[in-house]
Amino acid sequence: MNFLRGVISGQAAGPQPSGAETIHKLCDRVASSTLLEDRRDAVRALKSLSKKYRLEVGTQAMDHLVNILQTDRSDSEILGYALDTLYNILCNDEEEEQDETAQKQSDDLGAQFTEQFVQDPEHVTLLLALLEEFDFHVRWPGVKLLTALLKNQGVQVQGIILVSPMGVSRLMDLLADSREVIRNDGLLLLQQLTKSNAAIQKIVAFESAFERLLDIITEEGSSDGGIVVEDCLLLLLNLLKNNSSNQNFFKEGSYIQRMKPWFEIGDDNSGWSAQKVTNLHLMLQLVRVMVSPVNSPGATASCQKSMYQCGLLQQLCTILMATGVPADILTETINTVSEVIRGSQVNQDYFASVNAPSNPPRPAIVVLLMSMVNERQPFVLRCAVLYCFQCFLYKNQKGQGEIVATLLPSTIDANSISAGQLLCGGLFSPDSLSNWCAAVALAHSLQDNLTQKEQLLRVQLATSLGKPPVSLLQQCTNILSQGSKVQTRVGLLMLLCTWINNCPIAVTHFLHNQENVPFLTAQISENLGEDERLVQGLCALLLGICIYYNDNSLENYTKEKLKQLIEKRIGKENFVEKLGFITKHELYSRAAQKPQPVFPSPEQMLFDHEFTKLVKELEGVITKAVHKSSEEEKKEEEVKKTLEQHDNIVTQYKELIREQDSQIRELKEQVESVESQNEQLQTSVSQQLSQIQQHKDQYNILKLKLGKESQSNGQVDVSQVNGLQTEELTQLREEVEELRKQHVLFQTQLGDKDALISTLRTETGGGSAGGSDDTELLSELEALRSQVQAQSAEINQMKTERQELLARAEAGSSDGVSSSVGSLEAAKMAEVESRLAAQSAEMERLKEEAKGLSESRAELEQQLAAATSTVAILQTERAKLQTEVQESKKEQDDLLMLLADQDQKIHSLKLKLKGLGEPVDDEDELDARDQTDEEEDEDED
């Protein structure tokens, strides 16, 4: 204890020990001390020495510190000291103001210690487990230490974290920490974790990283936020760049729509802090990552569509046309808009409609081209405008036509500046960079568009007063022959090659000028310096295009004569060698890598990306065309003609087959419709036939019934009278017979009552003793009489009905059988149809009910099965828990038994020692003695 206090307080008694000796003693104290306080003080002392004596602490104390992390998990203070010490050992950021040699040694030291630490993957797993501790003094040093490990040995640590269970998830939890220091350092940790590892990037993305990061950016103030917003944007770039899976997830999650508010800038753009510029620059880069030309075309098109629909493109165009925007932000915005509209017709059409807020309003394309041909503008800005113009015309024949139309005589407006006028002005400007940019821009207006190549031949230029106008093609060759700067000539040659490529009419116009071919041959045949080699190669390419796409319309410059000229003046081998100068140029491969023109200086701006594709396509075919003899060419032409004829024949047959296919398709549709109509008609006919058969059967049955009744009664009777069936008539007859019987019965009862009345009268005449009985009998008699009269009236009514029915039956027999049968049949059919409809409706209702019951039964069965499985799982878990409880109880009982035995043995040994005369201290005496020692130490202090 005193030694530790001396080390910490700096008080020295006697000679000072060296740093290595002090560290050695501290490490021994960490390893051997049983008291937690001693170990804590030793680790704290090691932390204080770890920066000055980094090598000694790292070599001697690393294993002891790792052991502290494993064993003293319950004490957060010692854990924090150990983590801080390890961070000082491994981290290289603390070294400041050192020379290069010392800094390199420090970096090597950190890398060596990191390699030693991660040799055991369990060390990294231990750090991940410690990050679950919420204590600030543990979690924050743990985050910093893991970040340092990733900086020094990123690939190895990434592999360990990737295979660690829930490793990435634990690190993602840092973003949800309420303490900003831990959250911000967690962002730095995730930046290092996601570098160049697609698997970890995917896991982080699917752990809701996009949602959390965008929320943090919004909370921190978007582009107006601080360094935290920058860290979030850098992490987003790591997750999305060159990761198609995450890009698709970002788009499908509707996160592109959440980027629009980032670019909402106010009217006052005067105050742009350095942090805001950095944030906005990263936000623009994030947009570019989603629509980069290196992404798959389908994914890029989908993102471009989303950006237009959510208004992000409109917001970017607003920044593009705003005033007071810093130059680097404006440049990056132009590049971003370029890639958002590249190859998307809808976005290109929208960009063409954007106007600058000027008086009068001018199209945004015109304003940008004015910056491109203005030599006072920054170089990077001019490159960005050229890239924007190229992207606007990429696969946009409509836009190409609009640009070329501004050069044609019929559409030139003298009162306004057009894109064509600006391009022509730049093409003939004394600034070589403007010449090159304008030539490349015009070349993109003609790219893969034969119509516009032919239209551009109509453009006439007035070079000076009093002289006739010359064509644009001729003016370009004139400037080329005047021997201007290399950059200007390279731009013009690229324009001419693109213009006459695959356009025989333009080749004829070019060859029609008698000076062009001699100029090209002279340029190719001369032995010039290194700077002129590229011009020679482009001249060879231009002459080769004139051979390959020559239609032999000019007698002096047919294919054969041009090849003879090359052989005589240049030599075929020399021509091919000069042609190869293009692809061997050091700037050619750089321009072929990506569409955006990125050059370190204006002098290196020589090649265009699309032109490199053209060279790669034409170099081989031109070489073959130059080496072929006239006989081979004739054979090839014959083969071509034959193939063309065959192609024409095949095309005609294809068209005929298409027409026949369409006709067959129409006929099939007609046949299908006729068949369906036929099926419907057959169904209706079968239904009508069945109804007719039913009617016939009913008619036969009625006929038979009528025949039987006529035989039994000896007279012609019918089975129906005015709509009454035979069964109903029989029923009426039975009711009449029953009424007759009731009438006879009532007659007999009436006679009996009359006899009773007469006897009663005779008895009442003899005396008046039963006066009261007589009145009761009289009332009963009157009631019986009224009942008899009512029944008699009912019988009479039934008789009259019977007479009427008989009369109607006789009248019906005289009218004949046919009419009654028809009416019977109609009534029968109506009744049958109504019953059938009712039964059908009832059947449908019952089916629906049965279906609903079956569905509900299925749902109940599923619920029952789920509940059964849940019960089984719970029962299994309960059984496991019960067994575990029993086992733990058993283990506790065993431990108690062992402790009891141990106590018994200790007690017996103490008795033996006392019996032998040895002094033995009891536990109470030991506790009292320790307490006394502690009080004495305090008194000494």
Side-chain angles (χ1 to χ4, degrees):
M1 293 287 289
N2 293 330
F3 169 76
L4 290 175
R5 292 190 183 98
V7 170
I8 295 171
S9 61
Q11 297 175 359
Q16 289 286 343
S18 65
E21 293 175 352
T22 304
I23 293 168
H24 180 69
K25 291 179 181 179
L26 290 172
C27 291
D28 289 342
R29 184 58 60 102
V30 171
S32 60
S33 295
T34 56
L35 292 177
L36 177 61
E37 185 180 354
D38 290 346
R39 294 198 301 274
R40 187 189 305 133
D41 291 339
V43 174
R44 182 165 60 235
L46 285 172
K47 175 191 171 183
S48 64
L49 296 172
S50 59
K51 291 183 181 180
K52 185 176 181 180
Y53 300 100
R54 183 179 176 191
L55 177 62
E56 292 79 4
V57 174
T59 53
Q60 298 183 42
M62 182 177 290
D63 293 336
H64 300 297
L65 294 172
V66 172
N67 189 43
I68 288 292
L69 297 179
Q70 293 171 342
T71 57
D72 291 330
R73 293 284 297 272
S74 59
D75 187 73
S76 60
E77 189 174 357
I78 194 172
L79 288 178
Y81 292 151
L83 291 170
D84 283 332
T85 307
L86 287 171
Y87 174 74
N88 292 337
I89 295 170
L90 302 177
C91 183
N92 300 317
D93 296 340
E94 299 295 332
E95 303 293 336
E96 297 179 357
E97 298 181 0
Q98 292 183 345
D99 55 11
E100 294 182 359
T101 305
Q103 185 64 40
K104 186 177 180 181
Q105 291 176 355
S106 174
D107 293 344
D108 293 341
L109 197 61
Q112 291 173 6
F113 286 139
T114 303
E115 185 177 359
Q116 179 184 348
F117 184 84
V118 299
Q119 278 180 354
D120 187 357
E122 291 298 325
H123 295 170
V124 180
T125 307
L126 177 63
L127 286 181
L128 293 174
L130 289 174
L131 289 181
E132 293 184 351
E133 297 287 339
F134 188 74
D135 192 291
F136 180 81
H137 298 289
V138 177
R139 204 172 203 188
W140 187 41
V143 172
K144 293 194 298 181
L145 177 58
L146 201 53
T147 306
L149 291 174
L150 284 165
K151 285 182 179 179
N152 295 334
Q153 293 287 336
V155 177
Q156 192 172 353
V157 178
Q158 284 174 342
I160 298 172
I161 294 175
L162 189 60
V163 299
S164 176
M166 300 295 291
V168 179
S169 299
R170 290 172 180 172
L171 299 180
M172 285 299 299
D173 291 339
L174 298 173
L175 297 182
D177 200 302
S178 59
R179 296 160 293 193
E180 291 188 359
V181 176
I182 295 179
R183 185 199 66 183
N184 299 342
D185 282 349
L187 288 171
L188 300 176
L189 170 60
L190 290 172
Q191 284 181 25
Q192 298 295 327
L193 179 67
T194 55
K195 279 185 178 179
S196 305
N197 193 311
I200 293 180
Q201 290 169 2
K202 292 178 183 178
I203 296 173
V204 171
F206 283 96
E207 289 282 347
S208 303
F210 294 140
E211 185 76 27
R212 296 184 186 182
L213 292 173
L214 293 175
D215 288 342
I216 293 173
I217 291 172
T218 304
E219 292 170 3
E220 295 290 330
S222 298
S223 61
D224 294 322
I227 191 70
V228 178
V229 173
E230 180 182 350
D231 292 337
C232 290
L233 293 170
L234 289 171
L235 179 54
L236 284 172
L237 284 172
N238 281 356
L239 295 175
L240 293 174
K241 197 168 186 177
N242 300 324
N243 194 318
S244 57
S245 175
N246 283 1
Q247 289 173 6
N248 185 59
F249 182 64
F250 191 84
K251 179 183 68 68
E252 296 295 335
S254 300
Y255 297 119
I256 290 178
Q257 288 80 347
R258 295 185 61 178
M259 296 166 68
K260 181 191 172 185
W262 296 353
F263 305 102
E264 294 176 355
I265 59 174
D267 296 332
D268 185 15
N269 296 323
S270 57
W272 287 76
S273 63
Q275 187 62 56
K276 181 175 182 179
V277 171
T278 302
N279 292 344
L280 202 56
H281 198 274
L282 291 172
M283 290 171 179
L284 292 169
Q285 285 185 1
L286 198 60
V287 176
R288 292 185 64 185
V289 164
M290 298 299 295
V291 291
S292 174
V294 300
N295 297 344
S296 64
T300 301
S302 179
C303 291
Q304 288 172 336
K305 182 180 178 182
S306 298
M307 289 177 183
Y308 174 75
Q309 290 177 345
C310 73
L312 180 57
L313 174 60
Q314 294 85 331
Q315 202 66 45
L316 292 173
C317 290
T318 303
I319 298 176
L320 198 65
M321 294 292 105
T323 57
V325 179
D328 51 349
I329 294 297
L330 181 61
T331 303
E332 190 64 21
T333 304
I334 294 172
N335 289 326
T336 306
V337 171
S338 305
E339 294 181 352
V340 172
I341 67 174
R342 188 175 189 269
S344 174
Q345 187 65 52
V346 175
N347 293 4
Q348 289 167 341
D349 291 343
Y350 170 77
F351 183 70
S353 66
V354 175
N355 288 321
S358 60
N359 190 16
R362 288 176 178 171
I365 297 173
V366 173
V367 176
L368 292 175
L369 288 177
M370 291 171 69
S371 300
M372 186 185 74
V373 297
N374 186 354
E375 57 184 312
R376 291 190 297 271
Q377 294 292 338
F379 172 65
V380 290
L381 179 63
R382 298 173 74 180
C383 291
V385 173
L386 176 61
Y387 184 47
C388 184
F389 192 74
Q390 292 174 353
C391 292
F392 169 67
L393 296 178
Y394 182 70
K395 294 183 179 180
N396 183 11
Q397 293 194 352
K398 178 183 175 184
Q400 290 175 327
E402 292 173 354
I403 297 297
V404 173
T406 59
L407 288 165
L408 298 178
S410 59
T411 58
I412 292 177
D413 186 4
N415 297 323
S416 62
I417 300 175
S418 65
Q421 292 173 352
L422 290 170
L423 291 176
C424 282
L427 196 62
F428 309 125
S429 166
D431 178 31
S432 61
L433 184 59
S434 297
N435 302 153
W436 191 91
C437 291
V440 171
L442 267 177
H444 278 264
S445 301
L446 306 175
Q447 195 78 37
D448 299 327
N449 196 328
L450 182 61
T451 304
Q452 302 310 323
K453 291 177 181 179
E454 296 174 356
Q455 288 292 322
L456 199 62
L457 295 171
R458 298 169 48 202
V459 176
Q460 300 290 320
L461 301 175
T463 55
S464 60
L465 293 174
K467 290 185 178 181
V470 296
S471 66
L472 177 61
L473 183 66
Q474 183 60 43
Q475 184 65 18
C476 290
T477 56
N478 292 340
I479 296 174
L480 195 62
S481 61
Q482 291 172 4
S484 53
K485 294 181 180 180
V486 173
Q487 193 174 36
T488 301
R489 285 181 288 162
V490 169
L492 290 172
L493 285 169
M494 287 195 297
L495 171 61
L496 292 173
C497 291
T498 306
W499 193 345
I500 70 173
N501 177 53
N502 199 18
C503 184
I505 298 176
V507 171
T508 304
H509 277 71
F510 180 78
L511 295 175
H512 192 270
N513 187 354
Q514 301 294 328
E515 300 175 357
N516 290 341
V517 174
F519 168 75
L520 292 178
T521 54
Q523 287 286 321
I524 299 169
S525 60
E526 290 181 1
N527 291 323
L528 303 174
E530 293 289 335
D531 296 338
E532 297 293 332
R533 282 192 171 188
L534 179 58
V535 176
Q536 286 183 317
L538 292 172
C539 289
L541 179 66
L542 183 60
L543 187 57
I545 294 173
C546 292
I547 296 173
Y548 188 72
Y549 290 106
N550 196 336
D551 58 359
N552 297 324
S553 58
L554 295 176
E555 294 183 1
N556 295 332
Y557 295 110
T558 61
K559 286 185 177 182
E560 186 61 30
K561 289 185 178 180
L562 288 174
K563 286 195 289 186
Q564 292 175 1
L565 184 65
I566 289 174
E567 190 172 1
K568 290 179 182 179
R569 299 280 182 87
I570 305 169
K572 291 183 179 180
E573 299 300 330
N574 190 22
F575 178 84
V576 173
E577 182 184 356
K578 297 292 178 68
L579 184 62
F581 285 165
I582 302 174
T583 55
K584 291 178 182 177
H585 199 279
E586 58 180 356
L587 299 177
Y588 175 86
S589 58
R590 183 184 299 176
Q593 291 176 359
K594 55 183 180 179
Q596 183 181 359
V598 179
F599 303 97
S601 64
E603 293 77 16
Q604 297 185 9
M605 201 169 186
L606 292 177
F607 283 106
D608 174 54
H609 177 74
E610 292 296 328
F611 182 74
T612 59
K613 293 182 180 179
L614 181 65
V615 173
K616 187 176 180 180
E617 176 186 346
L618 292 177
E619 185 178 10
V621 296
I622 289 174
T623 303
K624 290 180 181 178
V626 170
H627 281 94
K628 284 177 186 174
S629 62
S630 58
E631 295 179 357
E632 291 178 349
E633 284 192 354
K634 288 179 181 178
K635 289 181 181 178
E636 282 192 0
E637 288 179 359
E638 291 177 358
V639 171
K640 284 183 181 179
K641 289 180 180 178
T642 307
L643 290 174
E644 288 178 358
Q645 292 176 358
H646 284 300
D647 291 340
N648 292 332
I649 294 170
V650 170
T651 304
Q652 291 176 1
Y653 276 116
K654 284 182 179 179
E655 292 177 355
L656 180 62
I657 290 169
R658 288 195 194 96
E659 293 177 357
Q660 290 178 350
D661 286 340
S662 62
Q663 292 176 0
I664 290 170
R665 200 177 299 109
E666 292 176 357
L667 291 173
K668 282 182 178 179
E669 292 175 356
Q670 292 177 3
V671 168
E672 289 177 356
S673 63
V674 169
E675 286 179 350
S676 62
Q677 292 177 1
N678 186 23
E679 290 177 356
Q680 293 176 359
L681 292 173
Q682 285 181 355
T683 305
S684 62
V685 167
S686 61
Q687 291 177 356
Q688 291 177 1
L689 287 173
S690 62
Q691 291 177 1
I692 291 170
Q693 187 63 37
Q694 290 176 1
H695 293 165
K696 284 182 179 180
D697 294 341
Q698 292 174 1
Y699 176 72
N700 293 330
I701 291 169
L702 292 172
K703 218 172 175 186
L704 290 173
K705 287 183 178 180
L706 289 172
K708 288 179 181 178
E709 289 180 0
S710 62
Q711 289 178 2
S712 61
N713 297 328
Q715 59 183 2
V716 181
D717 198 0
V718 292
S719 64
Q720 179 174 347
V721 180
N722 292 333
L724 295 173
Q725 297 182 1
T726 307
E727 295 177 357
E728 295 173 350
L729 188 61
T730 305
Q731 186 178 0
L732 288 172
R733 286 175 179 170
E734 291 176 355
E735 290 177 357
V736 169
E737 290 297 330
E738 186 177 356
L739 289 172
R740 282 179 183 173
K741 292 178 182 178
Q742 290 179 1
H743 179 68
V744 173
L745 179 61
F746 285 145
Q747 289 282 355
T748 55
Q749 289 179 358
L750 186 60
D752 294 339
K753 295 291 183 181
D754 289 336
L756 179 60
I757 289 167
S758 62
T759 55
L760 290 171
R761 283 179 178 175
T762 55
E763 291 176 358
T764 53
S768 59
S772 59
D773 295 331
D774 291 341
T775 56
E776 291 177 0
L777 289 171
L778 286 173
S779 61
E780 185 179 359
L781 179 61
E782 291 298 325
L784 288 171
R785 281 180 178 175
S786 62
Q787 185 177 3
V788 169
Q789 289 176 359
Q791 290 179 351
S792 299
E794 187 176 358
I795 290 169
N796 291 329
Q797 184 178 359
M798 296 300 291
K799 285 181 179 180
T800 55
E801 287 180 359
R802 179 174 177 275
Q803 292 297 328
E804 288 177 1
L805 287 171
L806 291 173
R808 286 161 66 186
E810 291 174 358
S813 63
S814 62
D815 294 335
V817 182
S818 61
S819 62
S820 63
V821 171
S823 61
L824 171 67
E825 202 166 333
K828 183 84 172 178
M829 281 302 300
E831 185 179 0
V832 168
E833 288 178 358
S834 64
R835 288 179 180 175
L836 182 60
Q839 289 178 355
S840 299
E842 184 68 18
M843 184 64 71
E844 290 297 326
R845 187 180 66 80
L846 292 173
K847 283 182 179 179
E848 291 294 327
E849 290 181 358
K851 184 178 179 181
L853 290 172
S854 64
E855 291 178 354
S856 62
R857 179 185 177 187
E859 290 178 358
L860 290 172
E861 288 178 352
Q862 290 178 356
Q863 294 177 2
L864 180 61
T868 305
S869 62
T870 305
V871 169
I873 293 169
L874 292 174
Q875 288 178 350
T876 306
E877 292 179 355
R878 180 185 176 189
K880 288 181 180 179
L881 291 173
Q882 287 178 350
T883 54
E884 290 177 359
V885 169
Q886 293 296 330
E887 290 176 358
S888 63
K889 285 182 177 179
K890 185 177 179 182
E891 290 175 358
Q892 289 177 0
D893 294 335
D894 294 339
L895 289 172
L896 290 173
M897 291 293 293
L898 289 172
L899 289 172
D901 294 340
Q902 191 69 21
D903 291 337
Q904 188 66 30
K905 288 180 180 179
I906 291 170
H907 185 66
S908 62
L909 290 172
K910 284 182 178 179
L911 292 176
K912 287 180 180 179
L913 290 171
K914 286 181 179 179
L916 294 171
E918 292 292 332
V920 178
D921 294 332
D922 293 332
E923 291 181 358
D924 295 336
E925 295 176 357
L926 288 172
D927 292 337
R929 189 177 301 168
D930 290 340
Q931 187 173 2
T932 306
D933 292 340
E934 289 178 359
E935 290 177 355
E936 291 177 355
D937 291 339
E938 290 177 357
D939 294 337
E940 290 178 0
D941 293 338

